[in-house]
Amino acid sequence: MATKLLALACIRNDGCGDLSPRPHYPSMLKYPKGVSAQETSLQGSEASAMFSVTGMTCSACAGSVEKAVKRLPGIREAVVDVLNNRAQVMFYPSFVNEETIREAIEDVGFQAALIEDETNEKSIQVCRIHINGLTCTSCSSTVEKALQAIRGVQKAQVALATEEAEVHYDPKIVNHNQLMGAIEDAGFEAILVSTEEDMSKIDLQVDGVKNSDSMRMLENSLQALPGVQAVDISFELKKISVSYKPDITGPRNFIRVIESTGSSRSFKATIFPEGGGGRENHRKEEIKQYFRSFLWSLIFTIPVFLTSMIFMYIPVIKHGLDTKVVNMLTFGETMKWVLSTPVQFIIGRRFYTGSYKALRHRSANMDVLITLGTNAAYFYSVYTVLRAATSPYFEGTDFFETSAMLISFILLGKYLEVLAKGKTSEAIAKLMNLAPERAILLTLDKEGNVKSEEEIDSRLIQKNDIIKIIPGAKVASDGFVLWGQSHINESMITGEARPVAKRKGDTVIGGTVNENGVLHIKATKVGSESALAQIVRLVESAQMAKAPVQKFADRISKYFVPLVIILSFSTWLAWFLAGKFHGYPESWIPSSMDRFELALQFGISVMVIACPCALGLATPTAVMVGTGVGASQGVLIKGGQALESAHKVNCIVFDKTGTLTVGKPVVVNTRLLKNMVLHEFYELVAATEVNSEHPLAKAIVEYAKKLREDEENPAWPEARDFVSVTGHGVKAVVRNREVIVGNKSLMLDHSIAVLAEAQDMLTETEGMAQTGILVSIDGEVTGVLAISDPVKPGAQEVISILESMNVRSIMVTGDNWRTASSIARQIGIETVVAEAKPEQKAEKIKDLQAAGYAVAMVGDGINDSPALVAADVGMAIGAGTDIAIEAADIVLMKSNLEDVITAIHLSRKTFSRIRLNYIWALGYNILGIPIAAGALFPSTGFRLPPWIAGAAMAASSVTVVCCSLLLKNYKRPKKLQNLGIRGIKIE
């Protein structure tokens, strides 16, 4: 203790430490041990993390958690909330991380988990970077390692199929320019695609700007606007980029400010024309580059091919080609040398560049194999040409056609591969094109009448704008209907083919099609907040995420290229030594070459036939197409992990309310026990329940409204002394009468006798899968309400189909046993867990997992979130337009149970395609390498020329991508096609 106090005194005296402001633990340092406040500020800014802590029962527990956390180096502050079982920790990421903090909490006897969505979101940003030059998984691994090594980067994913990196980083520690610099240092070209996804951003082109001072003036004017978060200007492009909060401001405000700035008001602002920056533009440019390179390569290679393979059999031409230039050097050899040199060093420069960058970072990729193979052929040919030119008797064989044709075929293969890979991301392109280009903006007067209408660019829509949607037009923004009636086709967003009726108050989704009738809608979500933008982001993230099975390919590719180089050299050495020591007959050697040249051909063929690209593309291309197809069916799959887990599912746990049932309770029966007018009875009950947010309360109020059909929005009597008892019911005083509405336990708590007649009614109600509600007026049970949540149409058939797919179905619900059992009997579920709290649902899932099941949880994504997280696959049903459910792995947008089957069936199809891709990629190499090494040559005389080996290598990647593309023809199981699940209408 004395030592600790002495150390503390030293720290005080030296001025290199400070004490925590909290008095509980005076020995706890505010900054990391041995680091001063000044030094800490240089180490990087602080971060915040929120943990859920289970097991705390009192303030002493909270104190022990707080103490354990504060003992760690790098902790600035720790606050423990025992009531909500949470701990918030402020810390310095350069000294400690979330996992260390979590372990410290668990070391003192409590369970802790990081709450991802409640961490300081503003401290973490996401950027997407397009990377040019990726050829195989070795390249993507190199870039990933380079990004993850940067301080401030939380997570980095590089997708070979999309040639993009998604980086989660702390903007206080590192910026996107540094990230792009790290990629370029790794030897690849980096182009920023997007950043700061949590902010809306728009690019404006300004005409009339004459100098940089004008641009600065506009920048200052825009920055002064409330809601503007960042303004970037480019005087050369006359471009202003504004990042803003859509709740506060919008692009029309920016245009108005720009055009009203300056004394002459000569500025004119429009949305900056797109081009040159999008993913599609990068892809198109890459396709053009490969096509141009291939065409130029072909121009030089065809004469080389004809000279080597065709003209030598035509006597007249052969005689001209054999004309001697210098000593034994012929005109034909000279021409081939001249033509193949541009192919090798100018057109094939990309392979040299890729090889150099890979080797500089101590890795090897496909470019290394191509460079070694073509250089071996080219420089050996140069050696033979030079020797022929300096010798009057030397006759050698050149391989100029090998290097030239090899590069040409590889470029053709890359062109076809890029073309095919572009088609794998068509789903995102189609989604992004759903948004209409124009919209009709309405201006209303104070009475709500239309004053004027104006056609504007849809990107100029702001929150709370009134938009007119004419028949046949696309809905321009998420919002709700203010006026009009129509049917809207939402199939492009939800996959639901049947048009949905819309009237006043109904929500609409941007990008859907208005079929008939005119609608006036109020925009509620614009820009990056819209459902369409969220779907695009979700699908993009899904296509970035790697499936666990891809680790297999990553491990192989790590050793693949070095192993191929060793095999290639061994092949050449084995054939050369066998020839030198007469290990095979002289007759095996073709007349046009010697032993060395024969061995060299075998070695080069081995080097170029081995293809790590096909292996690297096997998983990501299938995941891209699978997730894209899922999105078109209304099933949003969050990446390869979810796909891989879903194909193993053999047990599904269903929540009841809103999942197996419609989720909208309705009053189906009323039984009065006292002489009372029904109208008056419901007036008292509705006046009490109207203050409650509970779904059952809303059902009662809606039913009461129907009894007063003469009034659209009836005014209920005033309810005084309103009290809501969570999980039991409500009570209030209405018209000087005490009204209590709730379950049996609430009545008993208030010493209200529940007569046998009322008890019998409750039992009968629950036996019919209905919820019984007791109503007490002035201390006496006056009536019993029966509320039912109807079973979803087709639920029974879905459970039956799942059973035929060898998937077990279980219901876990918080409802009572009788209601749950009755619902389960109706739809064919045998195992039921009722009256379960959210944490008990999660425990049940863990028990099933311990029993060997791969478990999927299907719930509403809110109160079922612990179970959704605990399950191998969490499926959120009933998402509607709110698709950003973090807890779920799969979001079922149509709220149809049939989509549970679609999700599992699609994942099985996708994973079988991944397996097929791996079988093809691995089988190709396992068969191709021995053939290229000359395994068939002794028995059949067949040998694989290097240029044919190169063509086969290029074809393997194209074949794998095309195999994945076949998933685009996915059809749901025939049983679902015949099911015809109908909608349900509640009157």
Side-chain angles (χ1 to χ4, degrees), residues 114-425:
L114 179 68
I115 303 174
E116 296 282 355
D117 57 345
E118 292 195 28
T119 54
N120 187 1
E121 289 179 8
K122 288 188 179 178
S123 70
I124 300 300
Q125 288 186 5
V126 181
C127 75
R128 304 177 77 86
I129 301 169
H130 181 83
I131 304 168
N132 285 335
L134 295 179
T135 56
C136 61
T137 50
S138 176
C139 300
S140 56
S141 298
T142 301
V143 176
E144 256 181 29
K145 286 176 187 172
L147 288 169
Q148 286 168 347
I150 300 172
R151 193 170 145 270
V153 171
Q154 260 203 358
K155 185 173 74 171
Q157 288 181 319
V158 179
L160 177 64
T162 58
E163 295 179 346
E164 277 190 10
E166 183 179 87
V167 190
H168 298 245
Y169 65 100
D170 187 341
K172 295 175 184 175
I173 300 174
V174 67
N175 59 42
H176 57 78
N177 289 324
Q178 290 170 288
L179 300 175
M180 292 166 68
I183 294 170
E184 286 171 357
D185 288 343
F188 302 90
E189 184 187 355
I191 302 165
L192 186 66
V193 176
S194 65
T195 185
E196 301 170 342
E197 290 187 345
D198 54 319
M199 287 196 288
S200 293
K201 187 175 182 179
I202 191 160
D203 297 330
L204 300 173
Q205 186 169 37
V206 185
D207 296 327
V209 176
K210 296 176 181 176
N211 53 50
S212 57
D213 291 338
S214 299
M215 288 293 273
R216 293 290 175 197
M217 180 172 63
L218 293 175
E219 180 186 11
N220 294 335
S221 299
L222 289 169
Q223 282 179 333
L225 283 176
V228 171
Q229 295 182 304
V231 179
D232 294 319
I233 61 172
S234 171
F235 178 67
E236 293 78 16
L237 297 174
K238 302 291 189 290
K239 174 181 169 183
I240 296 182
S241 300
V242 187
S243 299
Y244 62 96
K245 292 181 178 177
D247 286 345
I248 300 172
T249 189
R252 289 204 314 283
N253 291 345
F254 309 147
I255 291 174
R256 197 177 301 119
V257 166
I258 290 169
E259 294 181 350
S260 62
T261 299
S263 56
S264 61
R265 296 187 180 181
S266 58
F267 302 125
K268 182 74 177 172
T270 54
I271 290 179
F272 196 83
E274 292 183 355
R279 178 210 310 263
E280 250 341 275
N281 293 315
H282 292 313
R283 180 77 68 192
K284 286 175 182 175
E285 186 57 36
E286 190 178 23
I287 290 169
K288 283 179 185 175
Q289 283 179 1
Y290 274 115
F291 185 65
R292 280 197 299 265
S293 297
F294 171 65
L295 282 183
W296 277 109
S297 178
L298 216 56
I299 290 168
F300 289 100
T301 302
I302 288 174
V304 176
F305 171 76
L306 292 173
T307 303
S308 301
M309 305 289 180
I310 308 295
F311 295 159
M312 61 183 292
Y313 298 109
I314 303 173
V316 178
I317 300 176
K318 184 178 186 301
H319 178 72
L321 293 173
D322 288 343
T323 303
K324 300 292 188 294
V325 178
V326 179
N327 287 329
M328 298 300 290
L329 177 63
T330 65
F331 174 74
E333 288 172 335
T334 307
M335 188 177 72
K336 286 192 285 184
W337 185 14
V338 170
L339 290 170
S340 62
T341 299
V343 178
Q344 182 71 33
F345 296 108
I346 299 175
I347 298 168
R349 185 179 63 233
R350 67 176 68 239
F351 302 119
Y352 284 96
T353 307
S355 301
Y356 167 72
K357 290 172 179 176
L359 294 171
R360 196 179 70 181
H361 291 86
R362 297 178 184 176
S363 65
N365 58 12
M366 189 195 78
D367 290 335
V368 174
L369 294 179
I370 295 167
T371 305
L372 284 173
T374 55
N375 277 343
Y378 179 83
F379 284 108
Y380 176 75
S381 302
V382 171
Y383 160 75
T384 61
V385 165
L386 292 176
R387 191 167 173 192
T390 56
S391 172
Y393 55 85
F394 175 80
E395 285 189 31
T397 305
D398 65 81
F399 296 116
F400 285 121
E401 79 283 351
T402 295
S403 66
M405 291 173 69
L406 198 52
I407 288 172
S408 297
F409 275 111
I410 288 164
L411 287 172
L412 174 62
K414 291 300 290 181
Y415 166 70
L416 294 173
E417 182 187 318
V418 172
L419 207 61
K421 280 200 297 187
K423 294 185 182 297
T424 62
S425 57

Side-chain angles (χ1 to χ4, degrees), residues 725-743:
V725 184
T726 305
H728 295 281
V730 295
K731 67 174 183 175
V733 176
V734 182
R735 289 180 176 165
N736 296 322
R737 305 182 75 175
E738 185 187 55
V739 182
I740 301 176
V741 185
N743 57 20

Side-chain angles (χ1 to χ4, degrees), residues 586-627:
E586 292 279 341
S587 59
W588 284 13
I589 304 172
S591 58
S592 60
M593 60 181 71
D594 58 21
R595 293 184 182 88
F596 178 86
E597 292 163 350
L598 179 65
L600 184 65
Q601 273 213 349
F602 283 129
I604 294 171
S605 293
V606 168
M607 194 171 289
V608 297
I609 199 169
C611 182
C613 295
L615 205 58
L617 292 169
T619 300
T621 52
V623 169
M624 282 183 73
V625 179
T627 50

Side-chain angles (χ1 to χ4, degrees), residues 162 279-280 283 420-435 491-493 532-543 620-637 906 965 967-968:
T162 58
R279 178 210 310 263
E280 250 341 275
R283 180 77 68 192
K421 280 200 297 187
K423 294 185 182 297
T424 62
S425 57
E426 276 183 357
I428 288 181
K430 286 179 180 176
L431 283 169
M432 294 176 82
N433 290 332
L434 287 178
S491 60
M492 59 284 293
I493 300 289
L532 185 59
Q534 290 186 54
I535 292 170
V536 169
R537 278 206 300 275
L538 196 150
V539 176
E540 282 180 335
S541 296
Q543 295 184 345
T621 52
V623 169
M624 282 183 73
V625 179
T627 50
V629 167
S632 69
Q633 300 266 353
V635 177
L636 299 181
I637 303 168
L906 176 60
L965 282 172
L967 268 173
K968 291 175 78 174

